[in-house]
């Protein structure tokens, strides 16, 4: 069971470079999320997708774009990376609680550690 | 909007001692509450969750949590801590927005250190 898979696991960028973090889930979940984790700040929601074809901003969306490519895949793009975007990024998926089989929890990938110099 | 407060940034306990990690939430309706654990360099693993019913919920690794509506709290407890419990612990509240989308809001975490 792969669950939620993120790539790459590690990346070093120079200021101004662009990159895309990839995420795929094999649990047939409708909702997918991107969080960033910084020391002392917990996890903050960047963007989420409640269903295929929809995306919405979270708490800290500036400097990021997302694409929900299909039900399985949700990518996060940094168009012009800045040192403030140095962080660990987590992708997650969920079925919420209202749909049959929904457990409400988020299932997380292992994280992608990004350093912007 | 919902929010979660974890008052303790860092807690140190001796191995074998009891543990209580505090969590307070703010949400207008009955919340969906979660505790996650994160070992260094790892992703987040669900310890337990509360939706409704019995206010004392049991989780994995010997953890339990008690939902107290009057105090807006969902504290995590373990009667005897093991060295392998050293990790960071996150409390979270799940809720649906007005547009019908589901989100989890996390606290800032409590780092647990265990003294042998």
């Amino acid at each position: 069971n792969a669950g939620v898979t993120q790539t790459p696991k590690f990346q070093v960028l120079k200021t101004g470079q662009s990159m895309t973090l990839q995420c795929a889930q094999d649990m047939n979940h409708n909702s997918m999320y991107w969080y960033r984790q910084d020391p002392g700040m917990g996890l903050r929601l960047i963007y989420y997708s409640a269903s295929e074809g929809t995306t919405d901003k979270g708490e800290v969306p500036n400097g990021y774009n997302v694409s929900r490519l299909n039900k399985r895949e949700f990518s996060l793009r940094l168009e012009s990376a800045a040192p403030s975007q140095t962080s660990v990024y987590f992708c997650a998926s969920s079925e919420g609680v209202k749909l049959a089989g929904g457990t409400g929890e988020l299932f997380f990938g292992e994280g992608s550690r990004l350093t912007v110099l | 909007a919902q929010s979660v407060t974890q008052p303790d940034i860092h807690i140190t306990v001796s191995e074998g001692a009891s543990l209580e990690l505090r969590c307070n939430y703010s949400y207008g309706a009955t919340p969906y509450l979660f505790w996650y654990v994160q070992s260094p360099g790892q992703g987040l693993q669900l310890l337990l969750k509360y939706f409704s019913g019995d206010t004392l919920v049991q989780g994995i690794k010997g953890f339990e949590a008690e939902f107290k509506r009057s105090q807006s709290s969902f504290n995590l407890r373990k009667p005897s801590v093991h060295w392998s419990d050293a990790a960071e612990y996150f409390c979270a509240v799940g809720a649906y927005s007005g547009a019908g989308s589901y989100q989890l809001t996390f606290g800032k975490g409590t780092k647990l250190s265990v003294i042998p």
Side-chain angles (χ1 to χ4, degrees):
Chain A
N1 288 337
V4 179
T5 304
Q6 295 179 229
T7 56
K9 287 185 168 46
F10 300 93
Q11 184 72 49
V12 178
L13 292 176
K14 294 181 180 178
T15 297
Q17 288 185 318
S18 62
M19 77 158 298
T20 300
L21 298 176
Q22 306 285 355
C23 175
Q25 52 95 6
D26 62 1
M27 295 171 282
N28 202 37
H29 288 163
N30 282 301
S31 298
M32 297 186 73
Y33 311 81
W34 277 105
Y35 287 87
R36 61 177 288 174
Q37 183 180 26
D38 303 289
M41 299 298 292
L43 281 84
R44 294 181 292 170
L45 183 63
I46 305 171
Y47 270 94
Y48 64 98
S49 171
S51 62
E52 186 178 355
T54 69
T55 60
D56 285 290
K57 295 178 180 179
E59 180 185 355
V60 288
N62 290 346
Y64 304 95
N65 287 302
V66 290
S67 296
R68 184 73 182 268
L69 304 171
N70 47 56
K71 192 172 185 179
R72 290 187 65 249
E73 298 172 289
F74 188 39
S75 62
L76 178 72
R77 182 162 178 84
L78 286 69
E79 292 289 353
S80 179
S84 61
Q85 295 178 302
T86 293
S87 187
V88 181
Y89 292 85
F90 286 97
C91 178
S93 70
S94 176
E95 202 51 62
V97 295
K98 291 185 177 179
L99 296 179
T103 61
E105 67 186 275
L106 265 57
F107 294 82
F108 284 87
E110 294 186 350
S112 299
R113 185 174 296 274
L114 174 66
T115 301
V116 183
L117 302 175
Chain B
Q2 64 273 22
S3 66
V4 177
T5 301
Q6 293 180 246
D8 303 306
I9 297 173
H10 190 186
I11 286 181
T12 301
V13 300
S14 298
E15 191 168 17
S18 63
L19 171 70
E20 183 170 31
L21 301 182
R22 296 183 291 165
C23 172
N24 293 99
Y25 68 90
S26 173
Y27 184 58
T30 299
Y32 307 112
L33 295 164
F34 305 84
W35 275 100
Y36 283 84
V37 60
Q38 184 183 34
S39 297
Q42 302 296 312
L44 280 81
Q45 181 183 22
L46 181 70
L47 282 176
L48 47 77
K49 60 188 175 187
Y50 171 79
F51 286 0
S52 63
D54 193 347
T55 56
L56 184 65
V57 293
Q58 304 295 322
I60 62 171
K61 305 185 180 187
F63 285 92
E64 67 178 25
E66 186 172 13
F67 170 61
K68 292 185 177 181
R69 184 186 300 276
S70 61
Q71 299 177 18
S72 297
S73 68
F74 188 55
N75 293 347
L76 182 71
R77 301 195 294 248
K78 187 170 185 178
S80 178
V81 170
H82 189 262
W83 64 267
S84 60
D85 293 325
E88 192 157 19
Y89 292 79
F90 294 94
C91 181
V93 58
Y96 280 88
S97 71
S101 61
Y102 180 76
Q103 297 179 26
L104 250 63
T105 300
F106 287 83
K108 294 185 177 181
T110 297
K111 184 176 181 180
L112 174 66
S113 297
V114 180
I115 301 173

